Amino acid sequence: MMPIVLPRNTPRRFYRGGRKILAWRGEAVPDTFDDHRPEDWLASTTRLFAEGGDGLALLPGGGTLAAALAADPAGWLGPAHMRRYAADPGLLVKLLDAGERLPVHAHPDRRFAARHLHSRHGKTEAWMVLDADPDARVWLGFRSPMSSAEVADLVEAQDHRLLQALHEFRVSRGDAVLVPAGQPHAVGAGVFLLELQEPTDFSVMLEHARFGIHEDDAWLGLDPDVAQSCVDHAALSHQRLSRLRSRWDTGWTAVQSALPAKADEFFRADVLDARFADAEVEAGFSVLVVPDGTGELATSTGGRLPVHAGQTVVTPYSCGDLTLTGEVRAVRCRPAAGPDSRTDPPALRKDDGDTNPSDSEAAT
Ligand SMILES: [Zn+2]
């Protein structure tokens, strides 16, 4: 197999956006563009929970990636991955262009998803900011501890106070933020993200009325009290918040981890910067997103693919080890490591040693 350039995959969503995705990809805005294509689901085998259930990525030949993966899971995913996840790729990657502020929402963790949603995956996610308008912002975590009754009151009111209850901060290109399952959050207008997620579409929409979201969908078909119980009501301290943030664009080596260490249990993102040196990485299922430059991706099985800014590429395990060369930088998104990955040389990271047992509840 060879690395495959992914075409755009932008299902219709309830909120506006998508022009930055087209511009980033170097594509013209279609005459029929409806301004509700804010997400590009890259190499997705996940469907939307509602809104028509689209989301599956197509390969250039026309079939779905899900079908190709089912036909040859070992070739696509490799043995270490399959020992942990079987034929499940374990990852959802998106480009997200927030044309308007997204509603305040939270995602279930694995325990909640297993108990109430028949899924092994919750939806911890991470944001890597590719571009942001001046003064663009995001919101994450309650500033003060909240009782269930207080959250229920804010949800009932459906007004601005829910957003005001969250930490608010500006973001710019190069910021990365880990959003643990359970933490309420919102992305502001003008933020353009590369997003890594556990591969589900489980969102508890605390704010839904002004976005026209049906209550059944807002609560994932669950009792509202049960759905809201997935929300982390504790205050997110400034100290914890700072440990959820990092920078992805301040690299000083050819391969460097881009996300806070606590992301590793869910997914991995490495910045491959061939401007420093040839970036050589081991074989594995991954999604490459190319924000800058022009170069070439070579495989140890003899493949060569020209790459340039605005491309997204999926690499099957069986294409072998990868080498990125040229004046180019790419973000390599991968699922969490398989159980025997300790034999893999870890990518260098800037925040090693940044662990705190008190944070572990957010990652379970
Ligand atoms: Zn989210």
Side-chain angles (χ1 to χ4, degrees):
M1 277 195 266
M2 275 279 293
I4 297 167
V5 176
L6 291 164
R8 183 161 51 87
N9 176 33
T10 50
R12 184 181 166 87
R13 298 302 323 261
F14 65 88
Y15 67 98
R16 293 194 303 276
R19 287 174 188 265
K20 283 186 177 163
I21 293 173
L22 290 162
W24 185 85
R25 283 184 168 278
E27 296 181 24
V29 179
D31 291 341
T32 55
F33 191 63
D34 62 11
D35 262 317
H36 280 266
R37 309 285 163 169
E39 299 176 6
D40 191 343
W41 291 34
L42 305 174
S44 164
T45 59
T46 305
R47 290 178 182 275
L48 280 161
F49 183 83
E51 301 174 75
D54 289 343
L56 296 182
L58 297 177
L59 296 175
T64 63
L65 172 64
L69 236 150
D72 182 13
W76 276 92
L77 300 171
H81 179 99
M82 289 192 71
R83 277 195 288 281
R84 176 166 184 176
Y85 289 117
D88 172 0
L91 177 67
L92 177 59
V93 181
K94 295 176 185 171
L95 302 175
L96 189 154
D97 166 29
E100 63 181 314
R101 179 179 67 78
L102 272 67
V104 176
H105 64 284
H107 305 293
D109 67 9
R110 290 171 176 163
R111 195 178 306 165
F112 184 100
R115 181 161 174 204
H116 299 289
L117 297 163
H118 314 292
S119 171
R120 66 187 295 184
H121 298 293
K123 194 178 174 75
T124 286
E125 67 187 31
W127 306 330
M128 298 174 66
V129 180
L130 295 178
D131 183 43
D133 291 351
D135 212 31
R137 307 140 191 256
V138 298
W139 291 260
L140 174 60
F142 285 121
R143 293 189 287 128
S144 309
M146 306 287 284
S147 69
S148 299
E150 285 172 318
V151 173
D153 282 350
L154 290 178
V155 167
E156 180 67 27
Q158 290 290 301
D159 61 19
H160 59 283
R161 287 176 296 156
L162 192 50
L163 192 71
Q164 287 178 343
L166 307 183
H167 292 285
E168 172 180 341
F169 51 97
R170 288 193 184 85
V171 290
S172 59
R173 177 186 165 92
D175 277 319
V177 184
L178 177 64
V179 181
Q183 290 294 340
H185 58 278
V187 175
V191 180
F192 180 40
L193 299 173
L194 165 60
E195 200 173 35
L196 291 89
Q197 307 180 319
E198 290 182 85
T200 71
D201 190 38
F202 300 144
S203 297
V204 171
M205 295 294 190
L206 300 173
E207 207 182 5
H208 48 265
R210 64 183 278 225
F211 293 87
I213 300 167
H214 194 277
E215 287 235 12
D216 253 8
D217 296 335
W219 308 130
L220 298 171
L222 302 171
D223 177 90
D225 291 339
V226 172
Q228 288 171 38
S229 72
C230 84
V231 179
D232 191 335
H233 291 38
L236 180 62
S237 70
H238 285 283
Q239 194 182 28
R240 276 191 69 200
L241 180 58
S242 73
R243 283 197 299 271
L244 298 175
R245 301 181 63 182
S246 64
R247 297 281 302 177
W248 66 265
D249 72 341
T250 53
W252 37 263
T253 185
V255 183
Q256 181 164 301
S257 178
L259 298 176
K262 284 183 281 292
D264 289 359
E265 185 187 339
F266 302 96
F267 34 67
R268 295 170 287 174
D270 295 326
V271 176
L272 313 186
D273 197 335
R275 298 172 304 181
F276 289 103
D278 293 355
E280 300 175 11
V281 292
E282 72 272 20
F285 175 82
S286 67
V287 179
L288 286 176
V289 173
V290 186
D292 305 297
T294 304
E296 184 181 80
L297 182 68
T299 73
S300 61
T301 55
R304 297 172 103 78
L305 178 74
V307 290
H308 58 78
Q311 265 183 333
T312 59
V313 176
V314 62
T315 69
Y317 168 83
S318 64
C319 68
D321 297 343
L322 306 171
T323 304
L324 185 71
T325 59
E327 289 293 309
V328 66
R329 184 161 64 158
V331 181
R332 189 187 193 208
C333 307
R334 286 188 292 167
D340 60 354
S341 70
R342 61 186 174 276
T343 58
D344 296 338
L348 291 167
R349 62 162 70 246
K350 288 169 287 185
D351 56 350
D352 265 345
D354 176 16
T355 54
N356 183 334
S358 71
D359 284 330
S360 61
E361 84 282 2
T364 52

